[in-house]
Every structure is written in structure tokens, then in C-alpha cells.
Amino acid sequence: MLDASGSMWGQIDGINKISVAQDVVRDMLGTVPKDRNIGLLAYGHRRKGDCGDIELLVPPGTSNAQQISAATEAINPRGKTPLTDSVREAATVLRSHEQLATVVLVTDGLETCKADPCAMARELEQTGVDFTAHVVGFGLSRKDGAAVSCIATETGGRFIKADNAQELSAALVQTVATEATAPEPQPEPQVEPKHNLQINVQLSPDSPPLERGDIDKLSLDLIRIADNRSSRVGYEPSLSIKADAGEDVLRAKFEGGSVEYPLTIEKFEVSHASISLNAGVIDFRARHMTEGLIDPAILTWQITNLETGQSVQRYKPDLYSVFAEGQYEVTVMPGRNRNIALPPMQVEVRAGESNTGEFLLDYAGLRIDTVSESGERLPDHFLRFELWSTRADGTRDKRVNGQAGTRDMVYVAPGDYLLTAEDWGFKAAERRTFSQDVTLQAGQGQTLRLLTPEDTAQPLTAETP
């Protein structure tokens, strides 16, 4: 019986547990006598959240090692852990009330379907069923191992703890490939592992572990329960660290959320913490109407939580970020001017899911250039200009955009505007002004040259470049 629940995407020594199990099962099958009747049953491999997801992949028989290996390789973990019903199903398949039968259960987690595996094992034993269950705890902590070992003890089987590929291989050889009648070996002296805590962060309990680059704004802290002492352990979603043994809480903070995961850290064993953020991804793109008009480096994404009203910004060409479950609004703008933000899109973030979208940057651009009558280009700080929306009578209404200096292009939605400029280049006491109606078209960047007369009595004038 092979655990194929979503937690099998967790890692052992940097490799997904399901991959380790598939390799070990394939190698172990080469040592099984051909006349041995064996089969394969798995759970949690077809559907998320379904406690009835139990399937006999290969019925018991002889010379079927190749078929079992192929079925194991095809398993894709995704669901829950119905230990109790799976063992009961195995007992039924083996018709154990008629002949001796043995189940070898490989599991990396506890029962998640509101059932009592210990009571079920006790029931099978009390009814006189000739049934033995061995349990291999793959990557389980000492506490979790004790919780499932009752399946073995109630049926006369063995509980074997396996924390890596070598130990899993030895456990399967003892329970499947051989009769395993030899006495338990004497324990070797305990050696502290280099890293005794493996942390994996997931969007949801059924999601694969996140990798570097999959999440931004993540921080991980260990909080010692005894004294509430907190220590920052990293910023990546997959970490192997050395930590003091004891009872702790792992806290993961990310954009818009924080989750906690209680765990027991062992001194001589590798503890595994797979923490679910109950979060999803917002993955939006900005498509440029005209290449080269808007520099992608100056884009600002604004994401607003509609329940709390809290907004955050991301300054990058495209938006890919993890957020807690909830309703959000997303918009984008050149620079940080909210007056020219595009109409927002609403998204519902759900745990483990990705929301995609695209904004068309259909902006118009305007750059002001200033020169003196003699043709000398004036420094940026000599000029300030602004774009205004207008009322019905042509007078200015609301400031839309503008800047001091002439170095950069400003962006607005396409349309009609009133341009005003103010120059204090040669004689600050006699500033000159300029105003003109301008029409700006989507996808076009325009440059307007203002001529600054050296005679301060003259106004600014526009000149076609």
C-alpha cells in the first residue's frame, strides 16, 4: 500500500518523497521471488479532497513485478490520507479471512479522513482475521510514527521508521522481499544530522512545494514555545537547516497573510514541516501598445484587498506574486501617478490556484524640450510643465500629469488636454508662461519644443522640431 497523498510532494534530502519511493520500489521488486504473490494498492492519487480515492492498481499475483513498477511510476500525488479505509480495503482484497495475508503500508502522514486506524486494526484482530500489517513511516516524526504504529502492533506486524532512501529500501526488503524473521538489529550510536529540519512551503495542502522564485515577500521564523523566543531562519520556500531540538511554531509571513505550523524538532532525526499558506498567485502581464514608448522598468502594479482596503505596490515589468485568499483589484500605471492608472480588474484568489490577466498600455506620451533663441539647450530645472483636463468652456479642471524638468516623457490616457508651462531660466524674477491645447493619441509619443527668448519680456513660444 503506497501513500499517494499531496504531502508526498515533500522532500527528503532535496528529492520529492514520491520520487524516492518510486525509485526504491522499482529496485526492491528486482529482489522479490517470482513465486511471491504481491500486488499494489494506492490512495490519494486521483482526486483532491476525496476520502474515497482508494484504488487497487495491481491485483495480487506472481511474476507481476514489472506491472507494479509501471503503476508506481505513473502515480501523481494530489489527495488526502484515508489510512483506515485503505487498510480495510486491502484486507478485503486479500480475502484474509480465508488465508494468511500481509499488508505493507508505506505512509508519510496521519489519517486525514476522520477515522480511527487503531480501532480498525483492533477490530480485524478481534474478529480472528489472519491478517498482518507492517507500517513503514516514511519521513514521519517520532510523535507521528507512534500515532500510526498501532496498525502494526494490533495485527502482530512491525513498525519501521525510514527517513531516507536507504532506510526505505531496507524496510521494504525486510517486509516484502524476504520473510524478515531475523531479530531486530542493535541500534547504532545516534549521530546528529547536518540538517535536522526540512521546511517546504505550499500554496495549499494539495499543491506541490514552492521553489525559489515562486514567491516574493516570504519570511520564515521559528518561535520556541517554552519562552516565545523568535528567530528568523530564512526567506526561501524550501529550506534545510540545523535547529535546536524542542517544541516550536514555524511562522510563515507573506504578502497579506501569516500562517503558523506547530512542530517537534528532534536532535537526531530530520523533522519535516510542510506549511500551507492557503494562498494563490496573481499573474498579470502588461502588453505595450507601441514597443519603446514606455520603459517597462517604470511600471507600478497596485494590488488592493477589497475586504481590508489595504494596497501594495510592485515595481516590475510584469506581476507575479502570491497573495492570501480573498477578493482583490489589480491595476497598473507608468511611474507612480495614480491619476493615470488603468481601470482595475477584479480577481478572486483561491488557495493553490493562479489568476492570469493582461493590461494593454494604450497610453499617449509627451516630452517637452526647451532651447534658447541662440539654440542652446537649457538645463532641466529651467522648466515646469503640466497637463490638465478641461471644462466645457476650455478652462483647466484637474491636473493629470506633469513634472519639473524636461528629461523624461510623461504619460496620460489619449485625449484632449491643456498644456501649461512655466520657465524661469534667465531671470527668475520675470517668469514666463505658456499654455496650449494639445491632443495626444494612444500609442504615440510626442515631443514639443518650447523656445525661450533671451528677452524676458517675450512669452514662451512653441516650435515644431
Side-chain angles (χ1 to χ4, degrees):
M1 288 177 52
L2 182 59
D3 185 341
S5 62
S7 59
M8 286 291 282
W9 284 113
Q11 294 186 345
I12 294 268
D13 296 333
I15 304 174
N16 292 333
K17 286 185 278 188
I18 184 60
S19 299
V20 174
Q22 289 167 336
D23 292 343
V24 169
V25 169
R26 181 181 62 249
D27 294 341
M28 177 275 300
L29 289 170
T31 67
V32 176
K34 292 185 177 180
D35 60 351
R36 181 75 49 82
N37 278 287
I38 58 173
L40 175 66
L41 184 145
Y43 56 82
H45 58 295
R46 294 176 296 181
R47 298 178 294 275
K48 296 180 180 180
D50 184 357
C51 287
D53 187 13
I54 304 167
E55 183 181 13
L56 179 65
L57 295 174
V58 180
T62 59
S63 302
N64 59 2
Q66 186 174 359
Q67 187 180 359
I68 293 175
S69 179
T72 304
E73 291 290 335
I75 287 176
N76 181 25
R78 64 181 67 203
K80 299 180 77 66
T81 308
L83 284 181
T84 305
D85 288 343
S86 297
V87 174
R88 183 179 286 110
E89 175 68 15
T92 302
V93 169
L94 291 170
R95 300 188 300 278
S96 52
H97 61 287
E98 300 174 1
Q99 58 187 13
L100 184 147
T102 301
V103 163
V104 179
L105 167 63
V106 179
T107 180
D108 80 326
L110 305 181
E111 171 72 49
T112 61
C113 289
K114 299 181 180 180
D116 187 348
C118 300
M120 176 275 306
R122 193 158 45 246
E123 172 189 338
L124 288 175
E125 193 67 13
Q126 290 173 353
T127 55
V129 171
D130 198 355
F131 173 85
T132 301
H134 302 300
V135 178
V136 179
F138 188 29
L140 290 180
S141 66
R142 182 177 299 171
K143 179 180 178 181
D144 289 347
V148 297
S149 64
C150 62
I151 300 175
T153 55
E154 291 290 349
T155 61
R158 301 170 58 196
F159 173 76
I160 304 175
K161 198 172 186 301
D163 287 329
N164 53 48
Q166 293 74 22
E167 292 177 0
L168 179 61
S169 177
L172 292 184
V173 168
Q174 292 175 45
T175 55
V176 179
T178 67
E179 295 298 328
T181 57
E184 287 285 337
Q186 293 298 316
E188 296 181 1
Q190 290 184 303
V191 178
E192 292 187 40
K194 180 180 179 181
H195 300 119
N196 63 340
L197 177 59
Q198 171 66 46
I199 299 173
N200 286 304
V201 178
Q202 303 164 269
L203 292 178
S204 70
D206 298 331
S207 299
L210 296 173
E211 299 179 359
R212 176 178 292 186
D214 287 345
I215 181 173
D216 55 2
K217 306 294 184 181
L218 173 71
S219 62
L220 298 169
D221 297 277
L222 277 178
I223 304 168
R224 182 51 49 95
I225 294 178
D227 56 11
N228 206 36
R229 177 170 52 89
S230 176
S231 59
R232 178 66 48 84
V233 296
Y235 302 92
E236 298 294 338
S238 179
L239 291 176
S240 295
I241 63 173
K242 183 73 172 179
D244 294 336
E247 301 292 328
D248 287 77
V249 171
L250 173 64
R251 177 181 294 159
K253 290 184 178 180
F254 62 105
E255 194 64 73
S258 174
V259 295
E260 295 185 349
Y261 179 90
L263 74 159
T264 301
I265 300 177
E266 306 287 349
K267 183 176 182 180
F268 298 104
E269 300 176 0
V270 179
S271 301
H272 297 272
S274 293
I275 185 167
S276 170
L277 302 180
N278 293 319
V281 172
I282 297 180
D283 183 7
F284 272 55
R285 297 289 177 267
R287 182 162 63 88
H288 294 259
M289 185 174 182
T290 303
E291 291 300 324
L293 176 62
I294 299 177
D295 182 356
I298 68 171
L299 289 182
T300 297
W301 294 89
Q302 180 167 299
I303 308 96
T304 303
N305 187 315
L306 294 179
E307 298 172 7
T308 65
Q310 182 179 4
S311 293
V312 296
Q313 286 75 40
R314 294 286 188 270
Y315 309 106
K316 55 179 68 175
D318 295 312
L319 173 65
Y320 185 95
S321 195
V322 173
F323 288 86
E325 285 190 314
Q327 299 284 340
Y328 294 84
E329 273 190 351
V330 180
T331 188
V332 66
M333 67 202 79
R336 303 187 184 184
N337 185 353
R338 291 182 176 85
N339 289 335
I340 57 173
L342 292 176
M345 295 186 191
Q346 289 195 10
V347 295
E348 180 180 2
V349 175
R350 296 180 179 178
E353 297 183 4
S354 181
N355 295 273
T356 60
E358 181 180 82
F359 283 93
L360 175 63
L361 301 177
D362 54 349
Y363 286 99
L366 179 66
R367 179 183 286 111
I368 300 296
D369 191 17
T370 56
V371 296
S372 68
E373 285 181 317
S374 58
E376 178 186 4
R377 194 174 190 280
L378 299 179
D380 285 345
H381 65 273
F382 280 17
L383 181 82
R384 182 193 310 276
F385 72 94
E386 297 174 324
L387 285 168
W388 299 78
S389 64
T390 58
R391 300 186 181 92
D393 60 1
T395 58
R396 71 185 191 183
D397 185 14
K398 295 180 180 179
R399 182 184 182 277
V400 179
N401 208 344
Q403 65 183 18
T406 61
R407 182 171 47 198
D408 300 320
M409 182 172 286
V410 298
Y411 300 97
V412 292
D416 298 325
Y417 296 91
L418 175 65
L419 168 68
T420 64
E422 184 179 76
D423 170 66
W424 56 97
F426 290 99
K427 294 184 179 180
E430 299 183 22
R431 291 180 296 180
R432 286 169 296 211
T433 60
F434 171 86
S435 65
Q436 178 177 304
D437 293 327
V438 293
T439 298
L440 302 177
Q441 298 182 358
Q444 293 186 7
Q446 302 181 36
T447 299
L448 181 66
R449 176 172 293 174
L450 291 181
L451 187 64
T452 301
E454 297 178 10
D455 178 0
T456 57
Q458 300 180 40
L460 292 170
T461 56
E463 175 185 272
T464 303

